[in-house]
């Protein structure tokens, strides 16, 4: 029996039971740990399903994961919630959350559509960011978040390995719904695990982030054991599982993050040492600027991909680049606020032809919300790690007290780079972003 899109009885029980479960976590755990547990467990294990609610946006996994800790904080830690105040660093997030209303109104979609879009965007982005500001605005808190993410990555290792052998079937086995098409999961002569996330790419990005986090904590002497087991043994398993996600994008991000942090590990500072971090931070804004203005077509990427991978992957990238170019051309007809929701920014296929696709976050933001949305979301993603770097120079990144925040800043940057090619929103990364921008309230602690 189905109750919505992909909502079987087990899935409905999990989704609607998550908020009361989170309240139980807040009742018996310190509030900060309850937040970490609620986000990490929910994001890793809740079903990918949606339940229609009359007059409101569909109730989804994203809503359950983001709203449950918010309600927990309101019920059990209301003082902290009431002390939250907007700051200048929040302007970009406020703009990003509110711009869908202006886009809806400018496209005559109506106030209801605009308010619905604002609600959805605020829950997806604004709520985890605000909770991050409330609970993770100091180095100790960010260290707890990093360790929580690492544990989440380690828990996913055996599940990923299971799906490497049987294919992405755990979601169907547990919740009775095969949300992820099996034909999409066959890569490089093997299965790409999806576990309980929206896609194999989402799992690959998560495993990359947690592998990099664990490796940095171990290399800086911040973490030596997990549950009594030597960290290097667990990290070896984490790395193997990450490689077996069979995602070239995730492998590339892991390599980029490793190279940059490896440069930071060099004890002898030089004038060139900040260069890798600056380059990494500038990658996504530079790419988006070049693509959105038409200064770079991106076709230069196709021949190397064909040579290194295969012709099919190269043709897929080429088609994506062509689609983005067409959407950019249409977005420039309404450059300020875009075309609004419901895929109105896409180009419909003519008879006998294939329409455009919108796979990347930046092209979705530009097409739906114009320059206002694009600048807003890029600032939301770039500002937190840039602010952290301003607060803590590179020579401090290897300090045990600072190491966790440093690697989380790199993880947010890598997520921003991934958003140039994919649109996989992960609220846990927004928790980290909210904590990073709140580090300005004191030298080392909130």
């Amino acid at each position: 029996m189905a109750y919505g899109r992909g909502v079987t009885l087990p899935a409905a029980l999990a989704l609607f039971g998550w908020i009361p479960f989170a309240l139980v976590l807040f009742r018996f755990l310190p509030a900060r740990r309850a937040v970490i547990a609620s986000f990490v467990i929910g994001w890793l294990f809740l079903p990918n399903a949606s339940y229609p609610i009359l007059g409101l946006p569909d109730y989804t996994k994203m809503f359950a994961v983001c709203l449950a800790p918010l309600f927990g904080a309101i019920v059990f830690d209301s003082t902290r919630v009431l002390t939250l105040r907007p700051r200048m660093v929040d302007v970009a997030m406020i703009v990003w959350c509110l711009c869908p209303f202006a886009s809806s109104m400018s496209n005559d979609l109506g106030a209801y559509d605009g308010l619905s879009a604002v609600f959805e965007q605020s829950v997806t982005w604004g709520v985890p960011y605000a909770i991050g500001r409330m609970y993770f605005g100091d180095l100790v808190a960010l260290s707890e978040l990093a360790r929580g993410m690492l544990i989440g990555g380690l828990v996913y290792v055996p599940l990923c390995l299971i799906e490497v052998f049987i294919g992405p079937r755990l979601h169907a086995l547990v919740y009775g719904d095969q949300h992820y098409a099996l034909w999409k999961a066959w890569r490089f002569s093997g299965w790409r695990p999806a576990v309980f996330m929206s896609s194999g790419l989402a799992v690959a990005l998560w495993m990359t982030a947690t592998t990099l986090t664990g490796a940095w904590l171990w290399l800086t002497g911040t973490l030596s054991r997990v549950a009594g087991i030597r960290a290097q043994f667990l990290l070896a398993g984490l790395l193997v599982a990450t490689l077996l996600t069979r995602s070239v994008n995730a492998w590339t991000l892991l390599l980029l993050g490793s190279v940059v942090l490896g440069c930071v590990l060099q004890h002898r500072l030089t004038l060139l040492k900040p260069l890798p971090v600056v380059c990494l931070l500038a990658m996504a804004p530079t790419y988006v600027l070049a693509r959105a203005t038409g200064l770079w077509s991106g076709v230069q990427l196709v021949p190397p991909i064909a040579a290194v991978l295969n012709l099919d992957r190269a043709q897929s990238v080429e088609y994506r680049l062509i689609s983005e170019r067409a959407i950019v051309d249409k977005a420039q007809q309404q450059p300020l606020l875009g075309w609004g929701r419901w895929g109105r920014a896409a180009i419909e296929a003519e008879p006998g032809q294939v329409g455009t696709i919108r796979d990347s976050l930046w092209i979705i933001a530009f097409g739906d919300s114009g320059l206002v949305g694009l600048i807003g979301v890029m600032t939301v993603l770039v500002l937190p790690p840039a602010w952290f770097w301003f607060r803590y120079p590179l020579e401090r990144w290897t300090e045990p007290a600072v190491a966790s925040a440093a690697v989380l800043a790199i993880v947010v940057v890598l997520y921003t780079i991934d958003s140039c090619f994919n649109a996989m929103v992960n609220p846990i990364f927004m928790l980290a972003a909210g904590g990073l921008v709140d580090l300005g309230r004191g030298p080392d602690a909130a």
Side-chain angles (χ1 to χ4, degrees), residues 87-423:
R87 301 168 58 201
M88 285 300 297
V89 293
D90 301 326
V91 170
M93 179 59 79
I94 293 171
V95 169
W96 173 233
C97 289
L98 296 181
C99 68
F101 183 83
S103 298
S104 293
M105 297 303 291
S106 66
N107 285 282
D108 297 322
L109 296 176
Y112 176 82
D113 180 81
L115 291 173
S116 176
V118 167
F119 178 73
E120 183 175 346
Q121 195 130 298
S122 297
V123 171
T124 302
W125 293 84
V127 168
Y129 173 88
I131 294 175
R133 275 204 51 207
M134 285 191 289
Y135 286 102
F136 302 101
D138 64 83
L139 296 177
V140 174
L142 286 170
S143 177
E144 285 193 43
L145 177 58
R147 289 169 183 261
M149 290 173 57
L150 174 59
I151 292 172
L154 292 171
V155 169
Y156 247 39
V157 168
L159 303 181
C160 287
L161 295 179
I162 289 172
E163 291 202 337
V164 165
F165 290 100
I166 71 171
R169 291 181 169 89
L170 288 178
H171 193 283
L173 291 174
V174 175
Y175 293 112
D177 174 63
Q178 184 65 47
H179 79 289
Y180 189 52
L182 291 178
W183 65 269
K184 294 181 179 179
W186 188 258
R187 288 289 188 275
F188 303 113
S189 303
W191 292 112
R192 171 188 286 171
V195 197
F196 300 104
M197 291 194 182
S198 60
S199 69
L201 291 174
V203 172
L205 180 61
W206 171 253
M207 298 304 288
T208 293
T210 54
T211 298
L212 198 66
T213 299
W216 181 250
L217 296 183
W218 175 59
L219 289 171
T220 56
T222 308
L223 181 74
S224 59
R225 292 178 178 271
V226 178
I229 303 174
R230 288 187 178 181
Q232 55 265 45
F233 297 139
L234 296 174
L235 293 175
L238 196 56
L239 177 60
V240 169
T242 302
L243 295 177
L244 289 175
T245 59
R246 292 179 166 85
S247 169
V248 175
N249 195 50
W251 295 342
T252 304
L253 293 175
L254 181 60
L255 178 61
L256 279 174
S258 300
V259 169
V260 170
L261 289 175
C263 292
V264 174
L265 272 177
Q266 299 300 314
H267 297 293
R268 189 174 180 179
L269 287 174
T270 68
L271 292 176
L272 294 179
K273 189 169 182 179
L275 187 60
V277 177
V278 173
C279 290
L280 190 73
L281 193 61
M283 276 186 181
T286 301
Y287 176 88
V288 170
L289 177 64
R291 298 285 291 128
T293 58
L295 293 175
W296 185 54
S297 66
V299 295
Q300 296 85 350
L301 296 174
V302 177
I305 292 174
V308 175
L309 299 178
N310 55 58
L311 184 60
D312 288 341
R313 298 306 301 160
Q315 290 175 339
S316 175
V317 171
E318 183 178 26
Y319 174 60
R320 175 182 292 197
L321 294 170
I322 293 172
S323 292
E324 289 182 352
R325 181 68 259 171
I327 295 171
V328 166
D329 290 341
K330 184 173 180 179
Q332 289 174 346
Q333 298 172 22
Q334 297 189 172
L336 189 62
L337 294 171
W339 291 89
R341 295 192 300 171
W342 315 115
R344 299 175 77 250
I347 311 297
E348 294 185 3
E350 297 181 1
Q353 297 183 357
V354 180
T356 56
I357 58 172
R358 303 195 307 158
D359 284 344
S360 55
L361 178 63
W362 80 268
I363 198 67
I364 294 173
F366 191 28
D368 290 358
S369 301
L371 287 171
V372 173
L374 181 59
I375 294 172
V377 71
M378 290 306 298
T379 306
V380 162
L381 293 171
V382 172
L383 179 61
W387 177 250
F388 169 78
W389 187 30
F390 173 76
R391 291 280 301 156
Y392 297 92
L394 292 180
E395 57 266 27
R396 296 198 59 192
W397 284 23
T398 56
E399 297 177 9
V402 182
S404 296
V407 74
L408 289 179
I410 295 297
V411 164
V412 173
V413 175
L414 295 178
Y415 173 60
T416 307
I417 295 172
D418 182 76
S419 297
C420 294
F421 309 98
N422 299 297

Side-chain angles (χ1 to χ4, degrees), residues 129 132-133 380-381 384-385 412 428-438:
Y129 173 88
R133 275 204 51 207
V380 162
L381 293 171
V412 173
I428 300 173
F429 298 150
M430 282 299 98
L431 274 183
L436 290 169
V437 297
D438 219 39

